[in-house]
Amino acid sequence: MAAPTFTSLIPATSPVEADPLVAGLEWRHPPTVERPYTIANFVCSVDGRAAFNGRSGAFSDEGDRALFHALRERADAVLAGTTTLRMERYGRVIPDPERRARRLAAGRPAEPLAVTISRSGVVPLEAPLFGEPEARVLIFAAHAPDLSGVAASVAVEPLRGDGPATLRAAMATLHRDHGIDTLLCEGGPTVFGALVRAGLIDELFLTLSPRLTGGDSGPAITAGRPLSELQPLAIRGLLSRGDSLYLRYAVTN
Ligand SMILES: NC(=O)c1ccc[n+]([C@@H]2O[C@H](COP(=O)([O-])OP(=O)(O)OC[C@H]3O[C@@H](n4cnc5c(N)ncnc54)[C@H](OP(=O)(O)O)[C@@H]3O)[C@@H](O)[C@H]2O)c1
């Protein structure tokens, strides 16, 4: 099947495909920052909801999926909250053998490290990801889960305390001890909200799906305590395809 083509409105260029576009993006890695460069990727309805009937799939389309997989191919690690792992039934991070081969040819692990975080230690080990022998998973948890019967290679890092300092320490561990330079955060809203509050997000990719959910059908893309001041964003890219818009924002300091 041919790769979907986008119209690039910002910057205004000729039509683009997701893989070459994402492969050519420059991530800004401030050399003094002791954490991964962190990109979030979400899809939401025009009324700002991140889920409908408990899942995000109804908002997605071919363009969103193309960007989703292109971003995963570039990432060193992919972070998702435990509820997202369970509700979205996470499987292996890069299912496409061609993408895995491209990463191996570039001297990188075949797949990004899958990362999750939990205070309770209740991790959805029934998600297909944990049954995948080739998957590498890192769990930050205050209480280590019982990993018997899990096929994936799973490591556990202790999570001490709560709040922004704990998250900053976890991100430093990812960078320093696990060699993660680029982290892709796929949500959910609770994890993303906590990372935003801790000042740990550098960019946001957001697919605006041409749909309304009506009412209070699910969370916004951030959840938890609101910020004390608004967080400004700067637009870095805008693609369109059909009725969908695909935004790229930098989080400005
Ligand atoms: N539209 C999209 O792009 C998109 C993307 C992802 C998810 N979603 C949707 O969002 C929903 C799930 O999101 P959610 O916000 O409910 O859950 P979530 O963020 O996926 O996971 C929440 C859990 O992660 C752990 N956690 C979160 N913040 C933490 C922190 N600061 N420190 C330690 N652990 C932390 C907690 O586990 P413990 O309770 O064990 O501490 C918490 O219960 C689903 O409906 C999913 O479909 C949509």
Short mmCIF file of all heavy atoms in Angstrom, two decimals, residues 181-222:
data_model
loop_
_atom_site.label_atom_id
_atom_site.label_comp_id
_atom_site.label_asym_id
_atom_site.label_seq_id
_atom_site.Cartn_x
_atom_site.Cartn_y
_atom_site.Cartn_z
N ASP A 181 18.41 8.80 24.58
CA ASP A 181 18.55 10.21 24.20
C ASP A 181 17.21 10.80 23.76
O ASP A 181 16.96 11.98 23.93
CB ASP A 181 19.55 10.36 23.04
CG ASP A 181 20.97 10.14 23.52
OD1 ASP A 181 21.25 10.40 24.71
OD2 ASP A 181 21.81 9.70 22.70
N THR A 182 16.39 9.98 23.10
CA THR A 182 15.11 10.46 22.58
C THR A 182 13.99 9.59 23.11
O THR A 182 13.96 8.38 22.86
CB THR A 182 15.10 10.41 21.03
OG1 THR A 182 16.24 11.11 20.55
CG2 THR A 182 13.85 11.08 20.49
N LEU A 183 13.08 10.21 23.84
CA LEU A 183 11.96 9.49 24.44
C LEU A 183 10.67 9.96 23.78
O LEU A 183 10.42 11.16 23.67
CB LEU A 183 11.91 9.78 25.95
CG LEU A 183 10.71 9.20 26.71
CD1 LEU A 183 10.77 7.67 26.75
CD2 LEU A 183 10.68 9.75 28.14
N LEU A 184 9.86 9.00 23.36
CA LEU A 184 8.54 9.31 22.81
C LEU A 184 7.50 8.96 23.87
O LEU A 184 7.41 7.79 24.28
CB LEU A 184 8.32 8.47 21.54
CG LEU A 184 6.97 8.58 20.85
CD1 LEU A 184 6.74 10.00 20.34
CD2 LEU A 184 6.88 7.58 19.69
N CYS A 185 6.73 9.96 24.32
CA CYS A 185 5.67 9.72 25.31
C CYS A 185 4.35 9.59 24.56
O CYS A 185 3.91 10.53 23.90
CB CYS A 185 5.61 10.87 26.32
SG CYS A 185 4.12 10.79 27.35
N GLU A 186 3.72 8.42 24.70
CA GLU A 186 2.44 8.19 24.02
C GLU A 186 1.26 8.29 24.98
O GLU A 186 0.18 7.77 24.71
CB GLU A 186 2.47 6.82 23.33
CG GLU A 186 3.50 6.77 22.20
CD GLU A 186 3.50 5.49 21.41
OE1 GLU A 186 2.96 4.46 21.89
OE2 GLU A 186 4.06 5.50 20.30
N GLY A 187 1.46 8.97 26.10
CA GLY A 187 0.37 9.17 27.04
C GLY A 187 0.37 8.13 28.14
O GLY A 187 1.39 7.48 28.36
N GLY A 188 -0.77 7.96 28.80
CA GLY A 188 -2.00 8.70 28.54
C GLY A 188 -1.97 10.09 29.15
O GLY A 188 -0.92 10.59 29.59
N PRO A 189 -3.13 10.71 29.21
CA PRO A 189 -3.24 12.06 29.74
C PRO A 189 -2.67 12.23 31.15
O PRO A 189 -2.13 13.29 31.47
CB PRO A 189 -4.76 12.29 29.72
CG PRO A 189 -5.25 11.43 28.60
CD PRO A 189 -4.40 10.19 28.65
N THR A 190 -2.76 11.20 32.00
CA THR A 190 -2.25 11.35 33.38
C THR A 190 -0.72 11.44 33.37
O THR A 190 -0.13 12.32 34.00
CB THR A 190 -2.71 10.17 34.26
OG1 THR A 190 -4.13 10.08 34.16
CG2 THR A 190 -2.32 10.36 35.70
N VAL A 191 -0.09 10.54 32.63
CA VAL A 191 1.38 10.57 32.53
C VAL A 191 1.83 11.85 31.82
O VAL A 191 2.75 12.53 32.28
CB VAL A 191 1.89 9.31 31.79
CG1 VAL A 191 3.34 9.49 31.38
CG2 VAL A 191 1.74 8.09 32.68
N PHE A 192 1.17 12.20 30.73
CA PHE A 192 1.57 13.40 29.99
C PHE A 192 1.38 14.64 30.87
O PHE A 192 2.26 15.51 30.93
CB PHE A 192 0.75 13.51 28.70
CG PHE A 192 1.08 14.71 27.86
CD1 PHE A 192 2.39 15.01 27.51
CD2 PHE A 192 0.07 15.56 27.41
CE1 PHE A 192 2.70 16.13 26.73
CE2 PHE A 192 0.36 16.67 26.63
CZ PHE A 192 1.67 16.96 26.29
N GLY A 193 0.25 14.73 31.58
CA GLY A 193 0.01 15.88 32.46
C GLY A 193 1.11 16.01 33.51
O GLY A 193 1.59 17.11 33.79
N ALA A 194 1.52 14.87 34.07
CA ALA A 194 2.57 14.90 35.10
C ALA A 194 3.90 15.35 34.50
O ALA A 194 4.65 16.11 35.12
CB ALA A 194 2.70 13.51 35.74
N LEU A 195 4.21 14.89 33.29
CA LEU A 195 5.47 15.29 32.64
C LEU A 195 5.44 16.79 32.30
O LEU A 195 6.45 17.48 32.44
CB LEU A 195 5.71 14.47 31.37
CG LEU A 195 6.08 13.00 31.60
CD1 LEU A 195 6.06 12.23 30.29
CD2 LEU A 195 7.46 12.86 32.24
N VAL A 196 4.29 17.28 31.85
CA VAL A 196 4.17 18.72 31.55
C VAL A 196 4.39 19.52 32.83
O VAL A 196 5.14 20.49 32.84
CB VAL A 196 2.80 19.03 30.91
CG1 VAL A 196 2.55 20.53 30.85
CG2 VAL A 196 2.69 18.42 29.51
N ARG A 197 3.75 19.08 33.91
CA ARG A 197 3.90 19.82 35.19
C ARG A 197 5.34 19.83 35.66
O ARG A 197 5.80 20.77 36.27
CB ARG A 197 3.01 19.19 36.28
CG ARG A 197 1.56 19.62 36.22
CD ARG A 197 0.81 19.30 37.52
NE ARG A 197 0.82 17.89 37.83
CZ ARG A 197 0.05 16.95 37.28
NH1 ARG A 197 -0.83 17.30 36.36
NH2 ARG A 197 0.14 15.69 37.64
N ALA A 198 6.06 18.74 35.35
CA ALA A 198 7.46 18.65 35.80
C ALA A 198 8.42 19.34 34.82
O ALA A 198 9.63 19.33 35.04
CB ALA A 198 7.85 17.18 35.97
N GLY A 199 7.89 19.91 33.73
CA GLY A 199 8.74 20.60 32.76
C GLY A 199 9.62 19.65 31.97
O GLY A 199 10.75 19.99 31.60
N LEU A 200 9.10 18.46 31.67
CA LEU A 200 9.92 17.42 31.05
C LEU A 200 9.53 17.13 29.60
O LEU A 200 9.99 16.13 29.04
CB LEU A 200 9.84 16.13 31.89
CG LEU A 200 10.50 16.24 33.28
CD1 LEU A 200 10.13 15.05 34.15
CD2 LEU A 200 12.02 16.35 33.14
N ILE A 201 8.68 17.96 29.01
CA ILE A 201 8.27 17.73 27.62
C ILE A 201 8.89 18.81 26.73
O ILE A 201 8.85 19.99 27.04
CB ILE A 201 6.72 17.77 27.49
CG1 ILE A 201 6.09 16.62 28.27
CG2 ILE A 201 6.28 17.74 26.03
CD1 ILE A 201 6.29 15.23 27.69
N ASP A 202 9.47 18.37 25.61
CA ASP A 202 10.10 19.30 24.67
C ASP A 202 9.22 19.59 23.45
O ASP A 202 9.25 20.68 22.91
CB ASP A 202 11.44 18.73 24.20
CG ASP A 202 12.41 18.60 25.36
OD1 ASP A 202 12.81 19.64 25.91
OD2 ASP A 202 12.74 17.47 25.75
N GLU A 203 8.49 18.57 22.99
CA GLU A 203 7.67 18.76 21.79
C GLU A 203 6.37 17.98 21.93
O GLU A 203 6.32 16.96 22.62
CB GLU A 203 8.38 18.22 20.54
CG GLU A 203 9.63 18.98 20.15
CD GLU A 203 10.03 18.71 18.71
OE1 GLU A 203 9.21 18.23 17.90
OE2 GLU A 203 11.20 19.00 18.40
N LEU A 204 5.37 18.45 21.21
CA LEU A 204 4.09 17.75 21.14
C LEU A 204 3.67 17.59 19.68
O LEU A 204 3.58 18.58 18.95
CB LEU A 204 3.01 18.54 21.90
CG LEU A 204 1.56 18.06 21.70
CD1 LEU A 204 1.37 16.64 22.23
CD2 LEU A 204 0.59 19.03 22.40
N PHE A 205 3.48 16.35 19.27
CA PHE A 205 2.85 16.06 17.98
C PHE A 205 1.38 15.78 18.28
O PHE A 205 1.07 14.95 19.15
CB PHE A 205 3.49 14.84 17.31
CG PHE A 205 4.81 15.13 16.66
CD1 PHE A 205 5.94 15.34 17.43
CD2 PHE A 205 4.93 15.23 15.28
CE1 PHE A 205 7.16 15.63 16.84
CE2 PHE A 205 6.14 15.51 14.68
CZ PHE A 205 7.26 15.71 15.46
N LEU A 206 0.50 16.46 17.58
CA LEU A 206 -0.93 16.32 17.88
C LEU A 206 -1.72 16.20 16.58
O LEU A 206 -1.70 17.10 15.74
CB LEU A 206 -1.41 17.56 18.65
CG LEU A 206 -2.87 17.55 19.07
CD1 LEU A 206 -3.16 16.44 20.07
CD2 LEU A 206 -3.26 18.91 19.67
N THR A 207 -2.40 15.08 16.42
CA THR A 207 -3.32 14.92 15.29
C THR A 207 -4.68 15.43 15.73
O THR A 207 -5.22 14.98 16.74
CB THR A 207 -3.45 13.43 14.89
OG1 THR A 207 -2.19 12.98 14.42
CG2 THR A 207 -4.50 13.25 13.81
N LEU A 208 -5.20 16.40 14.97
CA LEU A 208 -6.53 16.92 15.25
C LEU A 208 -7.50 16.20 14.32
O LEU A 208 -7.51 16.43 13.11
CB LEU A 208 -6.55 18.44 15.03
CG LEU A 208 -7.73 19.19 15.63
CD1 LEU A 208 -7.78 19.01 17.14
CD2 LEU A 208 -7.63 20.67 15.28
N SER A 209 -8.27 15.30 14.93
CA SER A 209 -9.16 14.43 14.16
C SER A 209 -10.47 15.17 13.89
O SER A 209 -11.05 15.75 14.82
CB SER A 209 -9.40 13.17 15.00
OG SER A 209 -10.40 12.39 14.45
N PRO A 210 -10.97 15.15 12.66
CA PRO A 210 -12.15 15.95 12.33
C PRO A 210 -13.44 15.33 12.86
O PRO A 210 -14.30 14.87 12.11
CB PRO A 210 -12.12 15.97 10.79
CG PRO A 210 -11.46 14.68 10.43
CD PRO A 210 -10.46 14.39 11.51
N ARG A 211 -13.56 15.28 14.17
CA ARG A 211 -14.71 14.66 14.83
C ARG A 211 -15.02 15.39 16.12
O ARG A 211 -14.11 15.92 16.75
CB ARG A 211 -14.42 13.19 15.16
CG ARG A 211 -14.26 12.32 13.95
CD ARG A 211 -13.66 10.98 14.29
NE ARG A 211 -13.58 10.15 13.11
CZ ARG A 211 -12.52 10.09 12.30
NH1 ARG A 211 -11.46 10.81 12.56
NH2 ARG A 211 -12.54 9.31 11.24
N LEU A 212 -16.28 15.36 16.52
CA LEU A 212 -16.70 15.84 17.84
C LEU A 212 -17.19 14.64 18.64
O LEU A 212 -17.86 13.77 18.09
CB LEU A 212 -17.84 16.86 17.70
CG LEU A 212 -17.50 18.17 17.00
CD1 LEU A 212 -18.79 18.96 16.71
CD2 LEU A 212 -16.55 19.01 17.85
N THR A 213 -16.84 14.61 19.91
CA THR A 213 -17.33 13.51 20.74
C THR A 213 -18.64 13.89 21.42
O THR A 213 -19.46 13.03 21.71
CB THR A 213 -16.31 13.15 21.83
OG1 THR A 213 -16.17 14.25 22.70
CG2 THR A 213 -14.97 12.78 21.25
N GLY A 214 -18.81 15.19 21.70
CA GLY A 214 -19.98 15.63 22.45
C GLY A 214 -19.86 15.24 23.91
O GLY A 214 -19.37 14.16 24.23
N GLY A 215 -20.22 16.13 24.79
CA GLY A 215 -20.26 15.80 26.21
C GLY A 215 -18.90 15.46 26.77
O GLY A 215 -17.86 15.76 26.19
N ASP A 216 -18.94 14.81 27.92
CA ASP A 216 -17.73 14.51 28.67
C ASP A 216 -17.34 13.06 28.40
O ASP A 216 -17.41 12.22 29.28
CB ASP A 216 -18.02 14.76 30.16
CG ASP A 216 -16.76 14.76 30.98
OD1 ASP A 216 -15.67 14.69 30.38
OD2 ASP A 216 -16.86 14.81 32.21
N SER A 217 -16.94 12.79 27.17
CA SER A 217 -16.80 11.38 26.75
C SER A 217 -15.47 10.76 27.16
O SER A 217 -15.29 9.57 27.07
CB SER A 217 -16.92 11.29 25.24
OG SER A 217 -15.75 11.82 24.67
N GLY A 218 -14.51 11.57 27.58
CA GLY A 218 -13.20 11.02 27.93
C GLY A 218 -12.29 12.15 28.34
O GLY A 218 -12.69 13.32 28.32
N PRO A 219 -11.04 11.84 28.73
CA PRO A 219 -10.14 12.89 29.20
C PRO A 219 -9.66 13.78 28.07
O PRO A 219 -9.70 13.40 26.90
CB PRO A 219 -8.96 12.08 29.76
CG PRO A 219 -8.97 10.80 29.00
CD PRO A 219 -10.41 10.50 28.69
N ALA A 220 -9.20 14.99 28.45
CA ALA A 220 -8.44 15.81 27.52
C ALA A 220 -7.05 15.18 27.38
O ALA A 220 -6.77 14.18 28.05
CB ALA A 220 -8.32 17.23 28.06
N ILE A 221 -6.18 15.74 26.56
CA ILE A 221 -4.87 15.11 26.39
C ILE A 221 -3.99 15.27 27.63
O ILE A 221 -3.00 14.57 27.77
CB ILE A 221 -4.12 15.57 25.11
CG1 ILE A 221 -3.74 17.04 25.18
CG2 ILE A 221 -4.92 15.22 23.87
CD1 ILE A 221 -2.73 17.42 24.11
N THR A 222 -4.32 16.21 28.53
CA THR A 222 -3.65 16.24 29.84
C THR A 222 -4.68 16.01 30.93
O THR A 222 -5.83 16.43 30.81
CB THR A 222 -2.96 17.59 30.13
OG1 THR A 222 -3.93 18.63 30.07
CG2 THR A 222 -1.83 17.88 29.17
#
